[in-house]
Amino acid sequence: MQNLHGRDLLTLGDLSPEEVQAVLERAIAQKQARRMAGKPPVATGKSAALIFMKPSLRTRVSFELACVDLGMHPVVLGPGDAFSREETVHDTIKVLERYVDVIVLRTFAQSHIEEVAEHASIPVVNALTDDYHPCQGLADLLTIREHKGTTSGLKLAYVGDGNNMANTYLLAGALTGMHVSIAGPAGFEPSAAVVATAQGLAAQYGTGAKLEVTNDARAAVAGADVVITDTWASMGQEAEHAARVAAFAGYSVDAALMSAADPEAIFMHCLPAHRGEEVQNEVIDAGYSVVFDEAENRLHAQRAWLSLVL
Ligand code: CP
Ligand code: NVA
């Protein structure tokens, strides 16, 4: 395994299968240690810029608390603070790296965070872009491992939009040897380029992953160990909401769809959920729903990542 010190996390594809497992191991160990008082913080005196160009509840709170747990000072910035007043990405990053030890950025285009990483001499963490959400991916793998005992050999069905979360699950499955089936309406599938990237990683590492995209939600969910969905209209697509609700008719995760899954299947959602749209209350409130474990695990996964990188 390569040392993770100083590394960027722009997509899960930045990690090898062994590195993914190392992050999960660290997260599990720290999650247990957090319940035992008196552990010294591991990054005392370091600081982080947490930049949110889009709204956030979970990511902001979990990163701030992860920093404090590690002895760090988090500085939260919004769209009026960073990348504003026509300041270039170069100048913004050269200033920030005089103050902080890591940059965590939620933004729109993946090319924006790539440009940030090109200029930064300090680690950069993707806190969600239009294309990827690797921190959520690590938290979700941790949640799957806790509930299923493993992250390999499982069938993960994602029903919904071919968005940043669908892309992230394709990469997660490629790196952990899962069977990932993405189901959504025609025209809303993940891009062929992302599917090819994920297939390439699965082949490169020989993980045995099987990755597929279909328009048949029931076929995707059939026998699945993990069923996941996400909003039909992501941040930045608010104006398309009504059209998307119409386009995704028939792709809501309800009890009838869940009945096609393995009887021991769990339900996951990165949240925020739109109850009555991509998921029905009978599913998200069921005993097999682990959405709040998943939300909690954002803290554990991100604290593990920061401690390994710093
Ligand atoms: N799942 C997630 O990233 O939540 P927030 O958008 O609230 O951070
Ligand atoms: N796909 C959603 C995920 C939110 C955490 C979005 O990008 O808005």
Side-chain angles (χ1 to χ4, degrees):
M1 185 193 112
Q2 284 181 300
N3 191 342
L4 288 169
H5 187 263
R7 291 270 294 276
D8 292 335
L9 181 61
L10 305 190
T11 87
L12 284 183
D14 292 342
L15 304 179
S16 69
E18 293 75 22
E19 288 166 345
V20 170
Q21 296 305 323
V23 178
L24 301 186
E25 294 291 341
R26 173 66 68 98
I28 290 164
Q30 289 181 337
K31 187 172 179 177
Q32 288 164 350
R34 191 167 193 250
R35 299 206 172 105
M36 302 182 299
K39 288 282 277 187
V42 302
T44 302
K46 306 250 186 209
S47 56
L50 312 180
I51 310 171
F52 290 91
M53 307 300 283
K54 292 174 175 173
S56 174
L57 172 68
R58 282 143 288 269
T59 308
R60 178 181 170 167
V61 174
S62 57
F63 260 114
E64 270 200 70
L65 295 178
C67 287
V68 171
D69 278 354
L70 295 171
M72 299 172 63
H73 187 110
V75 182
V76 179
L77 302 166
D81 307 314
F83 312 115
S84 68
R85 296 177 289 166
E86 299 181 34
E87 190 161 22
T88 64
V89 172
H90 170 272
D91 292 355
T92 304
I93 298 310
K94 290 298 148 199
V95 168
L96 280 175
E97 65 186 13
R98 295 294 178 106
Y99 301 130
V100 302
D101 300 284
V102 58
I103 293 170
V104 176
L105 173 61
R106 166 168 291 192
T107 189
F108 292 85
Q110 185 71 14
S111 59
H112 183 212
I113 198 164
E114 286 169 0
E115 189 182 355
V116 166
E118 274 168 29
H119 293 303
S121 60
I122 55 176
V124 176
V125 183
N126 181 350
L128 181 148
T129 62
D130 293 345
D131 292 344
Y132 295 105
H133 198 359
C135 294
Q136 185 74 52
L138 289 171
D140 289 9
L141 288 173
L142 177 60
T143 308
I144 291 167
R145 184 161 151 171
E146 286 178 341
H147 283 276
K148 293 287 166 193
T150 180
T151 50
S152 72
L154 300 173
K155 182 176 183 187
L156 183 156
Y158 172 92
V159 180
D161 187 25
N163 62 14
N164 44 12
M165 288 315 311
N167 292 346
T168 296
Y169 295 124
L170 285 166
L171 297 182
L175 293 169
T176 59
M178 286 195 281
H179 174 184
V180 176
S181 190
I182 306 282
F188 295 91
E189 298 94 343
S191 78
V194 171
V195 176
T197 298
Q199 299 279 22
L201 288 170
Q204 176 188 341
Y205 293 117
T207 59
K210 183 178 169 197
L211 310 174
E212 62 191 8
V213 176
T214 174
N215 302 124
D216 186 339
R218 205 168 172 88
V221 170
D225 303 288
V226 182
V227 179
I228 311 187
T229 187
D230 183 24
T231 184
W232 292 334
S234 286
M235 290 180 277
Q237 298 173 330
E238 289 79 4
E240 299 171 33
H241 182 255
R244 282 173 167 267
V245 168
F248 281 85
Y251 288 90
S252 184
V253 180
D254 57 16
L257 186 58
M258 284 301 296
S259 72
D262 182 88
E264 302 294 317
I266 57 173
F267 171 77
M268 298 176 67
H269 191 310
C270 66
L271 305 178
H274 304 82
R275 291 165 174 259
E277 293 184 10
E278 74 272 9
V279 62
Q280 300 299 320
N281 288 338
E282 67 208 23
V283 171
I284 196 168
D285 294 329
Y288 53 74
S289 170
V290 299
V291 297
F292 300 117
D293 292 346
E294 186 182 359
E296 178 188 337
N297 280 336
R298 295 296 305 281
L299 170 64
H300 304 297
Q302 290 154 198
R303 189 178 48 213
W305 179 259
L306 289 175
S307 71
L308 286 162
V309 167
L310 294 173

